[in-house]
Amino acid sequence: MHARLMSDVWGHVRWRGWRCVCPPQRTASTGAQPLPPRAQVVICGGGITGASVAYHLTKLGWQDIVLLEQGRLAAGSTRFCAGAVSTVKHISIETEMADYSNKLYQQLEAETGVPTGYKRTGSILLAQTQDRLISLRRMVSRLRMKSIPCEIITPKQVGELHPLINIHDLVGAMYVPEDAVVSTADVALALVTAARSKGVQVYEHTAVNHVLVERGHVSGVDTDRGQIECEYFVNCAGQWAYELGLSNEEPVSIPLHACEHFYLLTRPLRTPLKDTTPSVVDPDGRIYIRNWQGGILSGGFEKNPKPIFTEGRNQMEIQNLQEDWDHFEPLLSALLRRMPSLEALEILRLVNCPESFTPDMRCVMGESPTLLRYFILAGMNSQGCSLGGGAGKFLAEWMVYGYPQDNVWPLDIKRFGALQSSRTFLRHRVMEVMPLIYDLKVPRWDFQTGRQLRTSPLYDRLDTQGARWMEKHGFERAKYFVPPGKDLLSLDQSKTFYKPDWFDIVGSEVKCCKEAVCVIDMSSFTKFEISSPGDQALDILQYLLSNDVDVPVGHIVHTGMLNERGGYENDCSVVRLQKRSFFVISPTDQQVHCWSWLKQHLPRDSDLFLEDVTWKYTALNLIGPRAMDVLSELSYAPMTPDHFPSLFCKEMSVGYANGIRVMSMTHTGEPGFTLYIPIEYALHVYNELISVGQKYGIRNAGYYALRSLRIEKFFAFWGQDLDAFTTPLECGREFRVKLDKGCDFIGRDALLRQREEGIFKRFTMFILEDHDTDLDLWPWWGEPIYRNGEHVGKTTSSAYSYTLGRHVCLGFIHSPQPITPDFINRGEYEIEIAGQRFQAKAKLYPFSSLFTQRRRKDDMELGF
């Protein structure tokens, strides 16, 4: 039946010719008003993102704003946007943005008088498999934390909500009743209208050539109609953002790439669809369907996307690209399977328009790390309509206040380095990213393209020993090591929300860390050296760091770089190498962010020397009670605590190699050492460690073992547990802050106020009590936390503790009243996993009495 239907459809397309009805183009205005000589802000791009930024800047009181558009307003990809406003997103900040957008668009017509086409239709996400249904159940838990109404419904209920949907192959669905549809171009015009009424000047048919730079910050904009002096520049140029960023004297790297994106439009059905008909997303069929003027608008994300290059910026307005029915055929087939009654429907046209995608499926926003006051909002991954309102609000707050009102690190442009802006890398990566938008993403999945970009000198050696790899900031890192005899293929393809196939492998690595000795390659760590002829290096670090780094040479200090609110901008370890020289170690994905923070605060006219030495050193973490024996043999030096105290660094020989920085810390709380090795010695030192360590039971271990160890020791992870809105007092790190160190530091006043007023959120450990590791769904992160039946927070990290034999979750409890240890202890807690709640025991401190090795609390280090 389906084959015959497809044959009929294709015959209709090819021989009878489904008509392509395109709306007439508006005549462009020819009037050319002169540009103002100066403005506070210049925004490039008159689509929904640029309009949203302008609108929200005026809401915050800024009015001296110029919006430039090289064609006509909303005539770029905004004009072709499908117009669905969905709050179903995989990360919390995107859900918050989409929810705000929905509320904004709902009242925008009343505010501006410009019709926006807003209709609250609701949306239905279909599940054809049990794994997809589990994914939707997890999503329901997350949306309810944001007070967004949603529920899991049966196939029968799907049919009642949308009678044209074929439900025979469904196992369930998710219903979000407050999702909506809009005319995205009209929303952009409404935002511009509101902004104009507050003084924003808008100029169409004005192309930006490049941004003018002076002493590392924006000073103006050069256009094809002259120059404008400005303090701030905002790149909302969509698919042109990449080239525009590279056009400056000091280039700005904006990693995105355009692909062709297809959807079709039909004439109204015989019985036209109602305006309130829910939108439908069938991720297993890779399609979405929404009502459009009584007919259907349907597109999707095919498995074989077509990337397009965008050099030149020579299109004033994006036109409908070439139709490609052969390429669209799999999506058309999926549509006809899901809505068989469309067999006789007349199609108006197949739309093919460019859409920008980023290397990790998340938009790019924030201030450039290389050029001050150059802001970006681009790479919306086909979510510009849903995210545009909220993203514009957060970026406007960022510009006005110096920071957004929520943690936007997952979207911050500083999560990328220049290495992710290779055009070849981007072209290959977006071909993977676009299909992934609808692919089922189980925990701990990895990108397959753009790999082996940054590798340790030991990569080949570890690969031949069974290393399975993950990627972090472009760096290859070993997850675990597959023992000889295991089925490598089946292990690599294992995807589940339940107990993973690597469970026993990681367990054996953890056991070896606790009972013998393991070596973990941690070369991806960010590493800086800062020095000065005088005391400037010490003085600036004392101002930037919350702990006291004026310690004897060789000592290691765990500390944080805080912002004015007392939140963590960076989490690091600092080694005093010499009186005026320091070694700073930070998490892998902090490389660009930390460098930017340091450069922003270092005095420009000084003798300070700052160098990124990440590439110069291979880092090997030697963990376990026998680590001391291995290093003693290789260095011919005593490594006992009496001779080599905790949190101490010595430069010494290991094997034949000299100048190895050996540090008595492990990032896990277990005994051991970290070796920072000049890369030319890396292979030699590794081989020596493995050779000598054989008699002590040495083996390789990966980051999954490290993760389990650090979570059971209650160590927080920057970017996941810690962020710019989390203070040391909220995560039990008062001991890493020296409020009385004799000098001021960034965030000190905020911490003093917080100590006086009390804290209203607290980092807490949870041990699952009634959870069956073998049969129940696993917690991964983002699960709701309930206290006495009320929602109080969410988990930020979780792992199975092989020591405790239970799952451990870390997360924050929030309360309108100050949180004390007694408040924590008096509660009854549950963790919700995909709708099922499990009892949990809350702890403010790790179960140190259960571990074989005890260490002082201030000896513990973070797991990066």
Side-chain angles (χ1 to χ4, degrees), residues 747-813:
R748 182 175 183 271
D749 291 342
L751 296 183
L752 287 171
R753 286 194 302 271
Q754 189 175 55
R755 189 172 67 174
E756 185 83 16
E757 298 169 358
I759 59 172
F760 297 87
K761 72 174 184 179
R762 181 63 192 246
F763 194 50
T764 310
M765 170 187 277
F766 298 92
I767 315 298
L768 295 191
E769 295 284 285
D770 58 346
H771 183 270
D772 190 317
T773 303
D774 296 316
L775 300 178
D776 291 323
L777 289 166
W778 274 30
W780 295 98
W781 62 275
E783 291 84 12
I785 302 169
Y786 290 88
R787 179 182 183 272
N788 299 336
E790 295 184 2
H791 174 247
V792 292
K794 68 177 181 179
T795 65
T796 52
S797 291
S798 63
Y800 182 80
S801 168
Y802 294 89
T803 305
L804 300 175
R806 297 176 186 176
H807 260 95
V808 177
C809 300
L810 308 181
F812 284 91
I813 292 175

Side-chain angles (χ1 to χ4, degrees), residues 429-495:
R429 175 56 70 83
V430 298
M431 290 177 70
E432 178 183 11
V433 162
M434 191 173 171
L436 278 172
I437 289 176
Y438 278 172
D439 277 358
L440 181 67
K441 290 175 282 296
V442 299
R444 312 261 182 107
W445 60 272
D446 300 297
F447 287 109
Q448 301 302 309
T449 55
R451 299 297 296 270
Q452 300 183 35
L453 185 58
R454 304 173 73 191
T455 60
S456 157
L458 305 177
Y459 178 85
D460 289 339
R461 183 87 162 84
L462 299 178
D463 195 56
T464 59
Q465 297 181 74
R468 301 294 96 184
W469 300 97
M470 60 189 286
E471 174 258 331
K472 186 81 164 182
H473 201 60
F475 218 114
E476 296 294 328
R477 313 199 306 182
K479 298 184 286 190
Y480 49 81
F481 287 79
V482 180
K486 280 279 186 180
D487 185 343
L488 304 186
L489 184 62
S490 66
L491 192 62
D492 281 345
Q493 293 178 345
S494 172
K495 297 180 179 180

Side-chain angles (χ1 to χ4, degrees), residues 470 472 477 521-522 524-527 557-559 570-574 584-590 621 665-668 674 676 703 706-707 710 715-720 722 733 736 860-864:
M470 60 189 286
K472 186 81 164 182
R477 313 199 306 182
D521 184 353
M522 303 182 72
S524 65
F525 274 30
T526 296
K527 299 172 277 288
V557 178
H558 299 321
T559 183
N570 179 33
D571 191 35
C572 57
S573 300
V574 179
V584 181
I585 307 161
S586 297
T588 300
D589 55 2
Q590 276 268 357
N621 207 341
M665 64 179 188
T666 64
H667 311 285
T668 63
T674 303
Y676 286 88
Y703 273 77
L706 186 79
R707 180 185 180 90
R710 73 96 175 166
F715 291 173
F717 180 90
W718 194 94
Q720 191 163 332
L722 307 179
R733 290 185 167 193
R736 292 188 183 176
M860 296 183 182
E861 166 62 324
L862 295 182
F864 297 129

Side-chain angles (χ1 to χ4, degrees), residues 43 45-54 78 188 235-238 377-378 380 384 387-388 391-392:
I43 301 171
I48 191 167
T49 56
S52 179
V53 173
T78 294
N235 185 338
C236 294
L377 180 56
M380 304 307 288
L387 301 182

Side-chain angles (χ1 to χ4, degrees), residues 103 283 308 363 446 590 593 613 673 675 682 692:
K103 293 178 171 64
I308 53 176
C363 74
D446 300 297
Q590 276 268 357
H593 181 72
V613 295
F673 303 88
L675 285 64
V692 171

Side-chain angles (χ1 to χ4, degrees), residues 260 262 306 322-329 350 352:
E260 296 184 16
F262 298 85
K306 300 170 66 176
Q322 184 67 38
E323 288 186 353
D324 190 340
W325 284 101
D326 289 325
H327 189 79
F328 190 72
E329 189 274 336
L350 178 65
N352 178 7

Side-chain angles (χ1 to χ4, degrees), residues 596-650:
S596 175
W597 186 260
L598 287 169
K599 292 293 286 186
Q600 181 180 341
H601 290 89
L602 294 182
R604 288 188 174 274
D605 302 319
S606 72
D607 295 325
L608 281 168
F609 178 74
L610 173 65
E611 182 182 9
D612 186 339
V613 295
T614 300
W615 63 274
K616 286 187 175 182
Y617 294 95
T618 293
L620 294 181
N621 207 341
L622 202 62
I623 303 175
R626 307 312 297 268
M628 185 188 313
D629 300 312
V630 175
L631 271 187
S632 294
E633 286 198 34
L634 284 172
S635 62
Y636 292 96
M639 305 297 292
T640 63
D642 292 337
H643 296 88
F644 205 127
S646 180
L647 292 178
F648 196 75
C649 173
K650 287 183 182 180

